Amino acid sequence: MKELVSGAERPMATEAAYSAVDASAAPAVSTRTSLILLSSLFFIWGFITSLNDILVPHLKNVFELSYTKAIFVQFSFFAAYLIVSVPAGALLKRVGYQLGLVLGLLIACAGCLVFIPAARMQVYEIFLLGLFVLAAGITILQVSANPFVIALGRSDSGPSRLNMTQAFNSLGTTLAPAFGGLIIFSAASSGLDLSTESGMAAFRAQEAALVEVPYFWLAVVLLVMVAFFSWVRLPVIHEQQVADKAVEEKGGAFSVLRYPRLTLGAVGIFVYVGAEVAIGSFLVNFFGESSVAGMEAAVAARYVSYYWAGAMVGRFAGALLLRYVRAGLMLAVCGFFATILIAVAMASSGMQAVWAILAVGLCNSIMFPTIFSLALGGLGRDTSQGSGVLCMAIVGGAVVPLLQGMLADYAGIQLSFLVPLLCYCYIVYYGAFSPLMRSKL
């Protein structure tokens, strides 16, 4: 991957394949300004994603769901990554990265607006549909923005740069639970007779309506961002095609899986996102257990913010440390401490269990951008396809929480944290042995 090349013209398909940024195509916006603008996207999709941690316990209460059924909030959201990621990679080859960002924002905006009829009709399945559409837009943003950030500078500093932008993603995930908890858990049952069917129906309608407010304003914010990113001129990433159609037909969309680092990195993204999302999804209920801390939902929601704040602080620190410490080594060390902390949370009670599981957020800090950067190393012309495969692996956020939900229904919520613990064991392996993985078979 080259850093910056001149020439405003988009390269033809017959030219040599590589990824580059054409700075001259956008003279009004510098590389640094572009990183700042892209960081705003990382912030907003982090904010939206973290709101799911509040939706899970809230909708569980509204619709009287089991843990397994309630976790379909996360399943519907992250299933979009499996379905949309590869088509999104193909879309970007046609329309470019900036238009991809605009389309992703538009689709995410539409998904937020679906929450309004879902809340008024009180139909759980419509909430799930809205989450899927919203996540489809965020998937396109992910596939566009991650390789964009990596391309805006030297390839060897890609992990550090991506960690910095991901820190703003963590800022969004930190603020969202406290914001969502303040609004969504603010329903008061005073004046309602909850012992009667009509009273319960009125209370559920009241709680369901609370979901409208944050998602309406998110739709407004996303629409403003659509207008802004349609107007601003970002640098152009040149990702050129190979003229030899035989190569394309032979490999297809998944030809990039011939790269061991990418394949094993995709598994790493799968288990990491799954573990991170699973932990966040069950924190409110975990803290509410009488054997743990017995917290009320609104109080527990504020503690969820500490989980994501740990990731934010760690990413800012990681952006600096990764300039001096080998990325794979840091990944393995963080994975190791995550397994220890989860084991402590499973075996203890009270605030010791609370702080142990919250500290896993700090370990999470550098994992996603580091795995992402390691997995894309050496892909060259296949970078966008590789990014699509890695974003598709984010479907782990649908599968792993579902497995934990099933175990929580069967064996209790505290023991269910065994599922993310096993996920971090794989991350230790990937970090420790990534330097031994050849770039290509």
Side-chain angles (χ1 to χ4, degrees), residues 100-271:
L101 296 176
V102 173
L103 291 174
L105 288 166
L106 273 173
I107 295 171
C109 178
C112 287
L113 293 175
V114 173
F115 278 74
I116 296 175
R120 295 183 181 181
M121 296 171 66
Q122 298 179 53
V123 178
Y124 184 51
E125 289 74 15
I126 300 180
F127 278 109
L128 300 182
L129 174 63
L131 285 162
F132 181 86
V133 175
L134 175 57
I138 293 176
T139 302
I140 298 174
L141 291 178
Q142 289 255 31
V143 177
S144 304
N146 283 306
F148 208 146
V149 169
I150 293 173
L152 289 172
R154 302 195 319 271
S155 59
D156 60 345
S157 62
S160 174
R161 199 161 47 251
L162 196 54
N163 263 283
M164 180 57 72
T165 52
Q166 285 283 348
F168 289 93
N169 177 272
S170 293
L171 177 60
T173 60
T174 298
L175 296 177
F179 171 80
L182 184 65
I183 295 177
I184 295 176
F185 289 140
S186 63
S189 58
S190 58
L192 298 175
D193 185 1
L194 301 184
S195 63
T196 64
E197 185 176 342
S198 60
M200 280 300 298
F203 180 64
R204 288 172 185 163
Q206 178 179 309
E207 287 214 318
L210 291 170
V211 179
E212 287 187 40
V213 178
Y215 285 92
F216 169 77
W217 286 109
L218 280 173
V220 173
V221 171
L222 289 168
L223 199 58
V224 171
M225 296 182 78
V226 166
F228 179 77
F229 278 92
S230 298
W231 168 75
V232 72
R233 296 176 64 191
L234 294 174
V236 176
I237 293 183
H238 284 166
E239 188 158 50
Q240 302 168 349
Q241 309 280 341
V242 176
D244 187 359
K245 294 184 179 181
V247 174
E248 185 175 342
E249 292 171 0
K250 180 180 179 181
F254 293 96
S255 62
V256 288
L257 294 180
R258 67 184 182 274
Y259 298 93
R261 270 196 182 187
L262 177 67
T263 304
L264 296 176
V267 177
I269 292 290
F270 181 94
V271 297

Side-chain angles (χ1 to χ4, degrees), residues 422-437:
L422 294 174
C423 292
Y424 287 112
C425 289
Y426 177 85
I427 291 171
V428 173
Y429 158 76
Y430 184 74
F433 293 99
S434 60
L436 304 178
M437 300 172 190

Side-chain angles (χ1 to χ4, degrees), residues 400-416:
V400 176
L402 183 61
L403 294 175
Q404 184 171 353
M406 295 169 65
L407 185 57
D409 285 329
Y410 177 76
I413 192 168
Q414 196 159 11
L415 186 60
S416 72

Side-chain angles (χ1 to χ4, degrees), residues 185 287 295-304:
F185 289 140
F287 297 158
M295 292 183 186
E296 294 182 358
V299 176
R302 292 199 294 271
Y303 276 85
V304 175

